[in-house]
Amino acid sequence: MDIVDIMGSSVLKRACGARGEGVPGPFRAWWNVAPSDIVVKPRRRKDFAWDPAWVSHITAPTLPLWTDHDPTGGLDEAALLQGWLPDARLHVIEDAGHWPQWEKPAEFLRAHRDFLLLGKDPV
């Protein structure tokens, strides 16, 4: 049993149930375990927001890894971030929410491996 099996069975499945009928969906799963002070209090959330004042200073090749169903930040936010990073290569994992490392572990790991070890843009 690896970390994906452990986390998938104990955290993710508890949060959103097994995939299939009755799954409350990515938003509900996220809401069940989200830190409520960040989610509920917009003034607190601004402390964690992207800001071009510091993001634009990141000059290393960067892989913003996003999902198409993340309730904390949509693809519009990913596009904004990509525009601020001088050398960004956005990769979107489809049909995943806030935890692609548990929801789509093979694609998550492949994207990182291709980018970090092989120097390739994930496809």
Short mmCIF file of all heavy atoms in Angstrom, two decimals, residues 1-68:
data_model
loop_
_atom_site.label_atom_id
_atom_site.label_comp_id
_atom_site.label_asym_id
_atom_site.label_seq_id
_atom_site.Cartn_x
_atom_site.Cartn_y
_atom_site.Cartn_z
N MET A 1 0.85 -1.18 0.00
CA MET A 1 0.00 0.00 0.00
C MET A 1 0.90 1.24 0.00
O MET A 1 1.79 1.35 0.82
CB MET A 1 -0.90 -0.02 1.24
CG MET A 1 -1.82 1.17 1.31
SD MET A 1 -3.00 1.07 2.69
CE MET A 1 -4.17 -0.09 2.07
N ASP A 2 0.67 2.16 -0.95
CA ASP A 2 1.46 3.38 -1.01
C ASP A 2 0.66 4.55 -0.45
O ASP A 2 -0.47 4.40 -0.01
CB ASP A 2 1.96 3.67 -2.42
CG ASP A 2 0.82 3.91 -3.41
OD1 ASP A 2 -0.32 4.15 -2.97
OD2 ASP A 2 1.09 3.87 -4.61
N ILE A 3 1.29 5.74 -0.46
CA ILE A 3 0.64 6.91 0.13
C ILE A 3 -0.67 7.27 -0.58
O ILE A 3 -1.62 7.71 0.04
CB ILE A 3 1.60 8.12 0.18
CG1 ILE A 3 1.03 9.25 1.04
CG2 ILE A 3 1.91 8.63 -1.22
CD1 ILE A 3 0.88 8.93 2.47
N VAL A 4 -0.72 7.03 -1.90
CA VAL A 4 -1.96 7.32 -2.63
C VAL A 4 -3.08 6.42 -2.13
O VAL A 4 -4.20 6.87 -1.91
CB VAL A 4 -1.75 7.17 -4.15
CG1 VAL A 4 -3.07 7.29 -4.88
CG2 VAL A 4 -0.75 8.20 -4.66
N ASP A 5 -2.78 5.13 -1.92
CA ASP A 5 -3.79 4.21 -1.39
C ASP A 5 -4.24 4.63 0.00
O ASP A 5 -5.43 4.64 0.32
CB ASP A 5 -3.26 2.79 -1.32
CG ASP A 5 -2.99 2.20 -2.69
OD1 ASP A 5 -3.69 2.58 -3.64
OD2 ASP A 5 -2.08 1.37 -2.78
N ILE A 6 -3.27 4.98 0.83
CA ILE A 6 -3.59 5.35 2.21
C ILE A 6 -4.44 6.62 2.23
O ILE A 6 -5.49 6.67 2.84
CB ILE A 6 -2.30 5.56 3.03
CG1 ILE A 6 -1.57 4.23 3.18
CG2 ILE A 6 -2.61 6.17 4.39
CD1 ILE A 6 -0.16 4.35 3.68
N MET A 7 -3.95 7.67 1.54
CA MET A 7 -4.68 8.93 1.56
C MET A 7 -6.01 8.80 0.82
O MET A 7 -7.00 9.36 1.25
CB MET A 7 -3.83 10.05 0.94
CG MET A 7 -2.56 10.34 1.71
SD MET A 7 -2.84 10.67 3.45
CE MET A 7 -3.64 12.26 3.35
N GLY A 8 -6.01 8.07 -0.28
CA GLY A 8 -7.24 7.90 -1.03
C GLY A 8 -8.32 7.22 -0.22
O GLY A 8 -9.48 7.59 -0.26
N SER A 9 -7.91 6.23 0.55
CA SER A 9 -8.93 5.50 1.30
C SER A 9 -9.33 6.20 2.59
O SER A 9 -10.49 6.18 2.95
CB SER A 9 -8.44 4.08 1.61
OG SER A 9 -7.28 4.13 2.42
N SER A 10 -8.39 6.83 3.26
CA SER A 10 -8.73 7.39 4.57
C SER A 10 -9.22 8.82 4.52
O SER A 10 -10.09 9.18 5.29
CB SER A 10 -7.53 7.30 5.51
OG SER A 10 -6.49 8.12 5.05
N VAL A 11 -8.69 9.65 3.65
CA VAL A 11 -9.07 11.05 3.65
C VAL A 11 -10.07 11.35 2.55
O VAL A 11 -11.18 11.80 2.81
CB VAL A 11 -7.83 11.97 3.51
CG1 VAL A 11 -8.24 13.42 3.38
CG2 VAL A 11 -6.91 11.77 4.69
N LEU A 12 -9.67 11.10 1.32
CA LEU A 12 -10.51 11.49 0.19
C LEU A 12 -11.84 10.75 0.19
O LEU A 12 -12.89 11.36 0.02
CB LEU A 12 -9.77 11.27 -1.12
CG LEU A 12 -10.42 11.86 -2.35
CD1 LEU A 12 -10.58 13.37 -2.21
CD2 LEU A 12 -9.61 11.54 -3.58
N LYS A 13 -11.81 9.44 0.39
CA LYS A 13 -13.07 8.69 0.36
C LYS A 13 -13.96 9.05 1.53
O LYS A 13 -15.17 9.07 1.41
CB LYS A 13 -12.79 7.19 0.32
CG LYS A 13 -12.27 6.75 -1.02
CD LYS A 13 -12.06 5.27 -1.08
CE LYS A 13 -11.49 4.89 -2.43
NZ LYS A 13 -11.15 3.48 -2.51
N ARG A 14 -13.37 9.37 2.66
CA ARG A 14 -14.17 9.81 3.79
C ARG A 14 -14.80 11.16 3.51
O ARG A 14 -15.93 11.43 3.89
CB ARG A 14 -13.31 9.89 5.04
CG ARG A 14 -14.10 9.95 6.31
CD ARG A 14 -13.24 9.73 7.52
NE ARG A 14 -11.83 9.78 7.18
CZ ARG A 14 -10.90 10.32 7.93
NH1 ARG A 14 -11.21 10.85 9.07
NH2 ARG A 14 -9.64 10.32 7.58
N ALA A 15 -14.05 12.02 2.80
CA ALA A 15 -14.56 13.36 2.52
C ALA A 15 -15.65 13.34 1.46
O ALA A 15 -16.63 14.06 1.57
CB ALA A 15 -13.42 14.27 2.06
N CYS A 16 -15.50 12.53 0.43
CA CYS A 16 -16.47 12.60 -0.66
C CYS A 16 -17.10 11.26 -1.00
O CYS A 16 -17.90 11.18 -1.91
CB CYS A 16 -15.83 13.21 -1.90
SG CYS A 16 -14.55 12.20 -2.64
N GLY A 17 -16.77 10.21 -0.28
CA GLY A 17 -17.35 8.92 -0.57
C GLY A 17 -16.68 8.29 -1.79
O GLY A 17 -15.87 8.91 -2.46
N ALA A 18 -17.00 7.05 -2.06
CA ALA A 18 -16.46 6.39 -3.24
C ALA A 18 -17.05 7.01 -4.49
O ALA A 18 -18.17 7.51 -4.47
CB ALA A 18 -16.78 4.90 -3.18
N ARG A 19 -16.29 7.04 -5.57
CA ARG A 19 -16.81 7.60 -6.83
C ARG A 19 -18.02 6.78 -7.27
O ARG A 19 -18.08 5.58 -7.10
CB ARG A 19 -15.74 7.57 -7.91
CG ARG A 19 -14.64 8.55 -7.62
CD ARG A 19 -14.39 9.37 -8.86
NE ARG A 19 -13.33 10.31 -8.61
CZ ARG A 19 -13.51 11.63 -8.62
NH1 ARG A 19 -14.68 12.13 -8.88
NH2 ARG A 19 -12.51 12.43 -8.38
N GLY A 20 -18.99 7.44 -7.81
CA GLY A 20 -20.19 6.75 -8.26
C GLY A 20 -21.42 7.45 -7.74
O GLY A 20 -21.39 8.63 -7.43
N GLU A 21 -22.48 6.73 -7.59
CA GLU A 21 -23.72 7.33 -7.14
C GLU A 21 -23.58 7.88 -5.73
O GLU A 21 -22.92 7.31 -4.88
CB GLU A 21 -24.84 6.28 -7.16
CG GLU A 21 -25.34 6.01 -8.56
CD GLU A 21 -26.62 5.22 -8.53
OE1 GLU A 21 -27.43 5.40 -7.59
OE2 GLU A 21 -26.80 4.42 -9.43
N GLY A 22 -24.21 8.99 -5.52
CA GLY A 22 -24.22 9.58 -4.19
C GLY A 22 -23.00 10.40 -3.83
O GLY A 22 -22.91 10.89 -2.72
N VAL A 23 -22.05 10.52 -4.76
CA VAL A 23 -20.86 11.32 -4.46
C VAL A 23 -21.28 12.78 -4.37
O VAL A 23 -21.94 13.30 -5.27
CB VAL A 23 -19.79 11.14 -5.56
CG1 VAL A 23 -18.62 12.08 -5.32
CG2 VAL A 23 -19.33 9.70 -5.59
N PRO A 24 -20.91 13.44 -3.29
CA PRO A 24 -21.33 14.83 -3.14
C PRO A 24 -20.61 15.78 -4.07
O PRO A 24 -20.98 16.93 -4.18
CB PRO A 24 -21.00 15.13 -1.68
CG PRO A 24 -19.95 14.15 -1.30
CD PRO A 24 -20.21 12.94 -2.14
N GLY A 25 -19.59 15.33 -4.78
CA GLY A 25 -18.89 16.17 -5.74
C GLY A 25 -17.67 16.84 -5.14
O GLY A 25 -17.49 16.87 -3.93
N PRO A 26 -16.83 17.38 -6.02
CA PRO A 26 -15.58 17.98 -5.56
C PRO A 26 -15.79 19.13 -4.58
O PRO A 26 -15.07 19.26 -3.61
CB PRO A 26 -14.91 18.48 -6.83
CG PRO A 26 -15.62 17.82 -7.95
CD PRO A 26 -16.96 17.40 -7.45
N PHE A 27 -16.81 19.97 -4.84
CA PHE A 27 -17.02 21.10 -3.94
C PHE A 27 -17.39 20.62 -2.55
O PHE A 27 -16.86 21.09 -1.56
CB PHE A 27 -18.10 22.04 -4.47
CG PHE A 27 -18.34 23.19 -3.54
CD1 PHE A 27 -17.46 24.26 -3.52
CD2 PHE A 27 -19.41 23.19 -2.67
CE1 PHE A 27 -17.65 25.31 -2.63
CE2 PHE A 27 -19.62 24.24 -1.79
CZ PHE A 27 -18.74 25.30 -1.78
N ARG A 28 -18.28 19.68 -2.47
CA ARG A 28 -18.72 19.18 -1.16
C ARG A 28 -17.55 18.52 -0.43
O ARG A 28 -17.38 18.71 0.77
CB ARG A 28 -19.88 18.19 -1.34
CG ARG A 28 -20.42 17.67 -0.05
CD ARG A 28 -21.09 18.78 0.72
NE ARG A 28 -21.61 18.23 1.95
CZ ARG A 28 -21.92 18.95 3.00
NH1 ARG A 28 -21.80 20.24 2.98
NH2 ARG A 28 -22.37 18.38 4.08
N ALA A 29 -16.75 17.75 -1.13
CA ALA A 29 -15.59 17.11 -0.50
C ALA A 29 -14.64 18.16 0.05
O ALA A 29 -14.16 18.06 1.18
CB ALA A 29 -14.86 16.23 -1.52
N TRP A 30 -14.40 19.18 -0.76
CA TRP A 30 -13.50 20.25 -0.33
C TRP A 30 -14.08 20.96 0.89
O TRP A 30 -13.36 21.23 1.84
CB TRP A 30 -13.28 21.21 -1.50
CG TRP A 30 -12.52 22.43 -1.14
CD1 TRP A 30 -11.18 22.52 -0.97
CD2 TRP A 30 -13.05 23.72 -0.90
NE1 TRP A 30 -10.85 23.80 -0.64
CE2 TRP A 30 -11.97 24.55 -0.59
CE3 TRP A 30 -14.33 24.25 -0.93
CZ2 TRP A 30 -12.15 25.90 -0.31
CZ3 TRP A 30 -14.50 25.60 -0.65
CH2 TRP A 30 -13.41 26.40 -0.35
N TRP A 31 -15.36 21.27 0.85
CA TRP A 31 -15.99 22.00 1.94
C TRP A 31 -15.92 21.22 3.24
O TRP A 31 -15.77 21.79 4.32
CB TRP A 31 -17.43 22.31 1.58
CG TRP A 31 -18.07 23.23 2.57
CD1 TRP A 31 -18.91 22.90 3.59
CD2 TRP A 31 -17.90 24.65 2.65
NE1 TRP A 31 -19.27 24.01 4.30
CE2 TRP A 31 -18.67 25.11 3.73
CE3 TRP A 31 -17.18 25.57 1.90
CZ2 TRP A 31 -18.74 26.44 4.09
CZ3 TRP A 31 -17.25 26.89 2.26
CH2 TRP A 31 -18.01 27.32 3.34
N ASN A 32 -15.99 19.88 3.16
CA ASN A 32 -15.96 19.05 4.36
C ASN A 32 -14.64 19.18 5.13
O ASN A 32 -14.61 18.99 6.34
CB ASN A 32 -16.18 17.58 4.01
CG ASN A 32 -17.60 17.29 3.65
OD1 ASN A 32 -18.51 18.07 3.95
ND2 ASN A 32 -17.82 16.18 2.99
N VAL A 33 -13.55 19.42 4.42
CA VAL A 33 -12.25 19.44 5.08
C VAL A 33 -11.53 20.78 4.96
O VAL A 33 -10.43 20.93 5.45
CB VAL A 33 -11.34 18.32 4.54
CG1 VAL A 33 -11.92 16.96 4.88
CG2 VAL A 33 -11.11 18.47 3.06
N ALA A 34 -12.14 21.78 4.33
CA ALA A 34 -11.49 23.08 4.12
C ALA A 34 -11.36 23.85 5.42
O ALA A 34 -12.23 23.77 6.28
CB ALA A 34 -12.28 23.90 3.11
N PRO A 35 -10.28 24.62 5.53
CA PRO A 35 -10.17 25.49 6.71
C PRO A 35 -11.19 26.61 6.61
O PRO A 35 -11.11 27.48 5.76
CB PRO A 35 -8.74 26.02 6.63
CG PRO A 35 -8.34 25.85 5.19
CD PRO A 35 -9.16 24.70 4.66
N SER A 36 -12.19 26.58 7.47
CA SER A 36 -13.33 27.49 7.33
C SER A 36 -12.96 28.95 7.44
O SER A 36 -13.61 29.81 6.86
CB SER A 36 -14.40 27.14 8.35
OG SER A 36 -13.89 27.29 9.65
N ASP A 37 -11.90 29.28 8.18
CA ASP A 37 -11.56 30.70 8.31
C ASP A 37 -11.09 31.29 6.98
O ASP A 37 -11.28 32.47 6.72
CB ASP A 37 -10.52 30.92 9.40
CG ASP A 37 -9.21 30.24 9.14
OD1 ASP A 37 -9.21 29.17 8.50
OD2 ASP A 37 -8.17 30.76 9.58
N ILE A 38 -10.48 30.49 6.12
CA ILE A 38 -10.04 30.98 4.82
C ILE A 38 -11.22 31.01 3.84
O ILE A 38 -11.38 31.94 3.08
CB ILE A 38 -8.90 30.12 4.26
CG1 ILE A 38 -7.65 30.31 5.13
CG2 ILE A 38 -8.59 30.49 2.81
CD1 ILE A 38 -6.53 29.37 4.78
N VAL A 39 -12.04 29.98 3.88
CA VAL A 39 -13.16 29.88 2.96
C VAL A 39 -14.22 30.92 3.26
O VAL A 39 -14.72 31.60 2.37
CB VAL A 39 -13.80 28.47 3.02
CG1 VAL A 39 -15.04 28.41 2.17
CG2 VAL A 39 -12.79 27.43 2.60
N VAL A 40 -14.57 31.07 4.51
CA VAL A 40 -15.69 31.90 4.89
C VAL A 40 -15.31 33.39 5.01
O VAL A 40 -16.12 34.25 4.76
CB VAL A 40 -16.29 31.40 6.22
CG1 VAL A 40 -17.41 32.29 6.69
CG2 VAL A 40 -16.79 29.97 6.05
N LYS A 41 -14.09 33.68 5.36
CA LYS A 41 -13.68 35.06 5.60
C LYS A 41 -12.84 35.60 4.44
O LYS A 41 -11.63 35.37 4.39
CB LYS A 41 -12.90 35.15 6.90
CG LYS A 41 -13.71 34.71 8.11
CD LYS A 41 -12.88 34.76 9.36
CE LYS A 41 -13.68 34.21 10.54
NZ LYS A 41 -12.84 34.08 11.72
N PRO A 42 -13.46 36.31 3.51
CA PRO A 42 -12.72 36.82 2.35
C PRO A 42 -11.54 37.71 2.73
O PRO A 42 -10.53 37.70 2.04
CB PRO A 42 -13.77 37.61 1.57
CG PRO A 42 -15.08 37.07 2.02
CD PRO A 42 -14.87 36.62 3.43
N ARG A 43 -11.65 38.46 3.81
CA ARG A 43 -10.52 39.32 4.21
C ARG A 43 -9.31 38.48 4.58
O ARG A 43 -8.18 38.86 4.32
CB ARG A 43 -10.92 40.24 5.36
CG ARG A 43 -11.84 41.36 4.90
CD ARG A 43 -12.19 42.26 6.03
NE ARG A 43 -12.99 41.48 6.99
CZ ARG A 43 -13.35 41.89 8.18
NH1 ARG A 43 -13.00 43.07 8.60
NH2 ARG A 43 -14.08 41.14 8.97
N ARG A 44 -9.51 37.34 5.17
CA ARG A 44 -8.40 36.44 5.50
C ARG A 44 -7.84 35.80 4.24
O ARG A 44 -6.64 35.63 4.10
CB ARG A 44 -8.85 35.38 6.48
CG ARG A 44 -7.80 34.35 6.79
CD ARG A 44 -7.66 34.11 8.27
NE ARG A 44 -6.89 32.92 8.54
CZ ARG A 44 -5.57 32.92 8.69
NH1 ARG A 44 -4.90 34.03 8.62
NH2 ARG A 44 -4.93 31.80 8.93
N ARG A 45 -8.70 35.47 3.30
CA ARG A 45 -8.26 34.82 2.05
C ARG A 45 -7.32 35.71 1.26
O ARG A 45 -6.42 35.23 0.59
CB ARG A 45 -9.47 34.43 1.20
CG ARG A 45 -9.08 33.73 -0.09
CD ARG A 45 -10.21 32.94 -0.66
NE ARG A 45 -9.96 32.54 -2.01
CZ ARG A 45 -9.22 31.50 -2.38
NH1 ARG A 45 -8.66 30.74 -1.47
NH2 ARG A 45 -9.04 31.21 -3.65
N LYS A 46 -7.50 37.03 1.33
CA LYS A 46 -6.63 37.94 0.57
C LYS A 46 -5.17 37.78 0.96
O LYS A 46 -4.28 38.04 0.15
CB LYS A 46 -7.08 39.38 0.72
CG LYS A 46 -6.72 40.02 2.04
CD LYS A 46 -7.05 41.49 2.05
CE LYS A 46 -6.75 42.11 3.38
NZ LYS A 46 -5.41 41.91 3.90
N ASP A 47 -4.88 37.32 2.17
CA ASP A 47 -3.50 37.09 2.60
C ASP A 47 -2.83 35.97 1.82
O ASP A 47 -1.61 35.84 1.84
CB ASP A 47 -3.46 36.77 4.09
CG ASP A 47 -3.92 37.93 4.95
OD1 ASP A 47 -3.87 39.09 4.48
OD2 ASP A 47 -4.33 37.67 6.10
N PHE A 48 -3.63 35.13 1.17
CA PHE A 48 -3.09 33.99 0.43
C PHE A 48 -3.23 34.17 -1.08
O PHE A 48 -3.02 33.25 -1.84
CB PHE A 48 -3.81 32.70 0.86
CG PHE A 48 -3.64 32.42 2.32
CD1 PHE A 48 -4.62 32.80 3.23
CD2 PHE A 48 -2.49 31.82 2.80
CE1 PHE A 48 -4.47 32.55 4.59
CE2 PHE A 48 -2.33 31.58 4.15
CZ PHE A 48 -3.32 31.95 5.05
N ALA A 49 -3.62 35.36 -1.51
CA ALA A 49 -3.89 35.61 -2.92
C ALA A 49 -2.61 35.81 -3.72
O ALA A 49 -1.59 36.28 -3.20
CB ALA A 49 -4.79 36.84 -3.06
N TRP A 50 -2.68 35.47 -5.01
CA TRP A 50 -1.58 35.74 -5.94
C TRP A 50 -1.49 37.25 -6.14
O TRP A 50 -2.49 37.94 -6.16
CB TRP A 50 -1.85 35.08 -7.29
CG TRP A 50 -2.02 33.60 -7.21
CD1 TRP A 50 -3.18 32.90 -7.39
CD2 TRP A 50 -1.01 32.64 -6.95
NE1 TRP A 50 -2.95 31.56 -7.25
CE2 TRP A 50 -1.61 31.37 -6.97
CE3 TRP A 50 0.35 32.71 -6.67
CZ2 TRP A 50 -0.91 30.19 -6.76
CZ3 TRP A 50 1.05 31.54 -6.47
CH2 TRP A 50 0.42 30.30 -6.50
N ASP A 51 -0.26 37.73 -6.31
CA ASP A 51 -0.06 39.16 -6.50
C ASP A 51 1.06 39.35 -7.52
O ASP A 51 2.17 38.82 -7.33
CB ASP A 51 0.32 39.80 -5.16
CG ASP A 51 0.43 41.30 -5.22
OD1 ASP A 51 0.63 41.86 -6.32
OD2 ASP A 51 0.33 41.93 -4.16
N PRO A 52 0.82 40.10 -8.60
CA PRO A 52 1.86 40.28 -9.61
C PRO A 52 3.11 40.96 -9.06
O PRO A 52 4.20 40.81 -9.60
CB PRO A 52 1.18 41.13 -10.68
CG PRO A 52 0.02 41.77 -10.01
CD PRO A 52 -0.39 40.83 -8.92
N ALA A 53 2.97 41.67 -7.94
CA ALA A 53 4.13 42.35 -7.35
C ALA A 53 5.22 41.37 -6.94
O ALA A 53 6.40 41.67 -7.04
CB ALA A 53 3.68 43.17 -6.14
N TRP A 54 4.84 40.16 -6.51
CA TRP A 54 5.86 39.18 -6.16
C TRP A 54 5.93 38.03 -7.16
O TRP A 54 6.99 37.50 -7.42
CB TRP A 54 5.69 38.66 -4.73
CG TRP A 54 4.42 37.91 -4.45
CD1 TRP A 54 3.25 38.41 -3.97
CD2 TRP A 54 4.20 36.51 -4.62
NE1 TRP A 54 2.31 37.43 -3.83
CE2 TRP A 54 2.87 36.24 -4.23
CE3 TRP A 54 4.97 35.44 -5.08
CZ2 TRP A 54 2.31 34.96 -4.27
CZ3 TRP A 54 4.43 34.17 -5.12
CH2 TRP A 54 3.10 33.94 -4.71
N VAL A 55 4.80 37.66 -7.73
CA VAL A 55 4.79 36.53 -8.68
C VAL A 55 5.66 36.82 -9.90
O VAL A 55 6.38 35.94 -10.37
CB VAL A 55 3.34 36.19 -9.10
CG1 VAL A 55 3.33 35.16 -10.22
CG2 VAL A 55 2.54 35.69 -7.92
N SER A 56 5.63 38.03 -10.39
CA SER A 56 6.38 38.36 -11.61
C SER A 56 7.89 38.30 -11.42
O SER A 56 8.64 38.32 -12.39
CB SER A 56 5.97 39.74 -12.12
OG SER A 56 6.29 40.73 -11.16
N HIS A 57 8.35 38.20 -10.19
CA HIS A 57 9.79 38.10 -9.92
C HIS A 57 10.30 36.66 -9.99
O HIS A 57 11.50 36.43 -9.87
CB HIS A 57 10.13 38.71 -8.56
CG HIS A 57 9.92 40.19 -8.52
ND1 HIS A 57 10.79 41.08 -9.10
CD2 HIS A 57 8.92 40.92 -7.99
CE1 HIS A 57 10.35 42.31 -8.93
NE2 HIS A 57 9.20 42.24 -8.26
N ILE A 58 9.41 35.72 -10.15
CA ILE A 58 9.80 34.31 -10.27
C ILE A 58 10.26 34.09 -11.71
O ILE A 58 9.45 34.09 -12.63
CB ILE A 58 8.65 33.36 -9.92
CG1 ILE A 58 8.17 33.60 -8.48
CG2 ILE A 58 9.06 31.90 -10.13
CD1 ILE A 58 6.91 32.88 -8.11
N THR A 59 11.55 33.91 -11.91
CA THR A 59 12.09 33.81 -13.27
C THR A 59 12.40 32.37 -13.67
O THR A 59 12.65 32.11 -14.85
CB THR A 59 13.37 34.66 -13.41
OG1 THR A 59 14.33 34.22 -12.45
CG2 THR A 59 13.05 36.13 -13.19
N ALA A 60 12.40 31.45 -12.73
CA ALA A 60 12.67 30.05 -13.06
C ALA A 60 11.51 29.48 -13.87
O ALA A 60 10.36 29.90 -13.71
CB ALA A 60 12.84 29.24 -11.78
N PRO A 61 11.78 28.51 -14.75
CA PRO A 61 10.68 27.82 -15.42
C PRO A 61 9.72 27.28 -14.36
O PRO A 61 10.14 26.68 -13.38
CB PRO A 61 11.36 26.69 -16.18
CG PRO A 61 12.76 27.16 -16.37
CD PRO A 61 13.08 27.98 -15.14
N THR A 62 8.44 27.55 -14.55
CA THR A 62 7.44 27.24 -13.54
C THR A 62 6.29 26.46 -14.15
O THR A 62 5.86 26.76 -15.26
CB THR A 62 6.91 28.56 -12.92
OG1 THR A 62 8.02 29.34 -12.49
CG2 THR A 62 5.99 28.29 -11.75
N LEU A 63 5.81 25.48 -13.41
CA LEU A 63 4.69 24.66 -13.87
C LEU A 63 3.48 24.90 -12.97
O LEU A 63 3.31 24.24 -11.95
CB LEU A 63 5.06 23.17 -13.84
CG LEU A 63 3.95 22.20 -14.23
CD1 LEU A 63 3.59 22.35 -15.70
CD2 LEU A 63 4.37 20.77 -13.93
N PRO A 64 2.63 25.87 -13.32
CA PRO A 64 1.36 25.97 -12.59
C PRO A 64 0.51 24.75 -12.97
O PRO A 64 0.17 24.56 -14.12
CB PRO A 64 0.73 27.26 -13.10
CG PRO A 64 1.84 28.01 -13.76
CD PRO A 64 2.78 26.96 -14.26
N LEU A 65 0.24 23.92 -12.00
CA LEU A 65 -0.54 22.71 -12.21
C LEU A 65 -1.93 22.99 -11.66
O LEU A 65 -2.08 23.23 -10.46
CB LEU A 65 0.11 21.53 -11.50
CG LEU A 65 -0.50 20.18 -11.79
CD1 LEU A 65 0.00 19.69 -13.15
CD2 LEU A 65 -0.13 19.19 -10.72
N TRP A 66 -2.93 22.98 -12.52
CA TRP A 66 -4.29 23.37 -12.14
C TRP A 66 -5.24 22.23 -12.44
O TRP A 66 -4.90 21.27 -13.10
CB TRP A 66 -4.70 24.60 -12.95
CG TRP A 66 -5.30 25.68 -12.11
CD1 TRP A 66 -6.64 25.94 -11.96
CD2 TRP A 66 -4.61 26.66 -11.35
NE1 TRP A 66 -6.81 27.04 -11.14
CE2 TRP A 66 -5.57 27.49 -10.74
CE3 TRP A 66 -3.26 26.93 -11.10
CZ2 TRP A 66 -5.24 28.56 -9.92
CZ3 TRP A 66 -2.94 27.98 -10.29
CH2 TRP A 66 -3.92 28.79 -9.71
N THR A 67 -6.47 22.35 -11.94
CA THR A 67 -7.52 21.39 -12.28
C THR A 67 -8.72 22.16 -12.80
O THR A 67 -8.84 23.36 -12.59
CB THR A 67 -7.94 20.56 -11.05
OG1 THR A 67 -8.56 21.42 -10.10
CG2 THR A 67 -6.75 19.85 -10.43
N ASP A 68 -9.60 21.46 -13.47
CA ASP A 68 -10.77 22.15 -14.05
C ASP A 68 -11.97 22.21 -13.12
O ASP A 68 -12.98 22.80 -13.45
CB ASP A 68 -11.15 21.52 -15.39
CG ASP A 68 -11.55 20.06 -15.29
OD1 ASP A 68 -11.34 19.44 -14.22
OD2 ASP A 68 -12.06 19.52 -16.29
#
